[in-house]
C-alpha cells in the first residue's frame, strides 16, 4: 500500500534526480552562468533534506541544506593531500568542489531559498 509519506519521499527523490540532471546539463551549456551550478546544488541538497526529513518543518530543511552547503564550501579552504586527492576524482569534485569562493555562498543561499519558497508555495497550493 502506498502511503502519503511514501509519495512524499518518492516526490522529493524525483526532485533530487531532476535537479542533478539539470545541474549536469547546465555545465555543458556555455551561456549558463557559473553560479547556476551552485544554485542547483543547494536546491538538490534541500530536496534531499526534505526526502530524509519530510515530516519536519520546511525551515528545518532550509537551515540544514544551508549548513551542509556552507560546510562543504568552508572545507575547500583545507588543502591537505587527502582533500586534494578527493577533489581530483571527477565525481567527488562535483560534490566537494575545488576552491572556496564567497560568491558560492550567495548561490547556496539563493538555491536553498528558491527550493524553500517553491516547496512552501506548492504545499499551500495543493492544500487549497
Amino acid at each position: 500500500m502506498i502511503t502519503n509519506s511514501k509519495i512524499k519521499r518518492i516526490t522529493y527523490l524525483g526532485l533530487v534526480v531532476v535537479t542533478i540532471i539539470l545541474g549536469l546539463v547546465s555545465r555543458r551549456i556555455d551561456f549558463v552562468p557559473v553560479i547556476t551550478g551552485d544554485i542547483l546544488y543547494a536546491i538538490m541538497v534541500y530536496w534531499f533534506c526534505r526526502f530524509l526529513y519530510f515530516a519536519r518543518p520546511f525551515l528545518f530543511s532550509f537551515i540544514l541544506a544551508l549548513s551542509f552547503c556552507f560546510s562543504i564550501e568552508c572545507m575547500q579552504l583545507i588543502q591537505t593531500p587527502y582533500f586534494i586527492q578527493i577533489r581530483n576524482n571527477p565525481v567527488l569534485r562535483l560534490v566537494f568542489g575545488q576552491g572556496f569562493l564567497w560568491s558560492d555562498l550567495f548561490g547556496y543561499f539563493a538555491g536553498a531559498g528558491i527550493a524553500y519558497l517553491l516547496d512552501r508555495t506548492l504545499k499551500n497550493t495543493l492544500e487549497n
Side-chain angles (χ1 to χ4, degrees):
M1 180 172 173
I2 297 179
T3 62
N4 192 28
S5 63
K6 285 184 183 179
I7 291 171
K8 286 182 182 181
R9 283 191 192 270
I10 291 169
T11 301
Y12 285 120
L13 188 59
L15 288 168
V16 167
V17 171
V18 167
T19 307
I20 289 171
I21 292 168
L22 289 173
L24 292 173
V25 169
S26 76
R27 295 174 63 89
R28 302 280 185 214
I29 303 172
D30 292 334
F31 64 87
V32 174
V34 176
I35 197 167
T36 303
D38 298 316
I39 292 169
L40 289 170
Y41 183 81
I43 290 171
M44 179 210 58
V45 171
Y46 176 88
W47 296 140
F48 190 70
C49 291
R50 294 300 295 158
F51 169 76
L52 293 175
Y53 304 106
F54 67 89
R56 302 290 300 260
F58 297 116
L59 189 58
F60 175 83
S61 295
F62 173 76
I63 292 170
L64 188 60
L66 267 185
S67 299
F68 179 83
C69 291
F70 279 34
S71 296
I72 292 293
E73 191 67 24
C74 290
M75 281 178 41
Q76 292 174 18
L77 292 168
I78 301 170
Q79 296 296 324
T80 63
Y82 176 73
F83 282 118
I84 292 170
Q85 184 179 359
I86 286 174
R87 293 182 191 115
N88 285 333
N89 179 301
V91 174
L92 295 177
R93 183 181 9 222
L94 289 173
V95 176
F96 295 108
Q98 281 295 101
F100 180 87
L101 293 172
W102 287 102
S103 61
D104 290 353
L105 299 177
F106 173 75
Y108 298 145
F109 186 80
I114 289 167
Y116 169 80
L117 292 173
L118 182 61
D119 203 12
R120 286 191 55 161
T121 301
L122 288 175
K123 181 185 185 292
N124 290 338
T125 302
L126 294 173
E127 287 180 351
N128 291 333

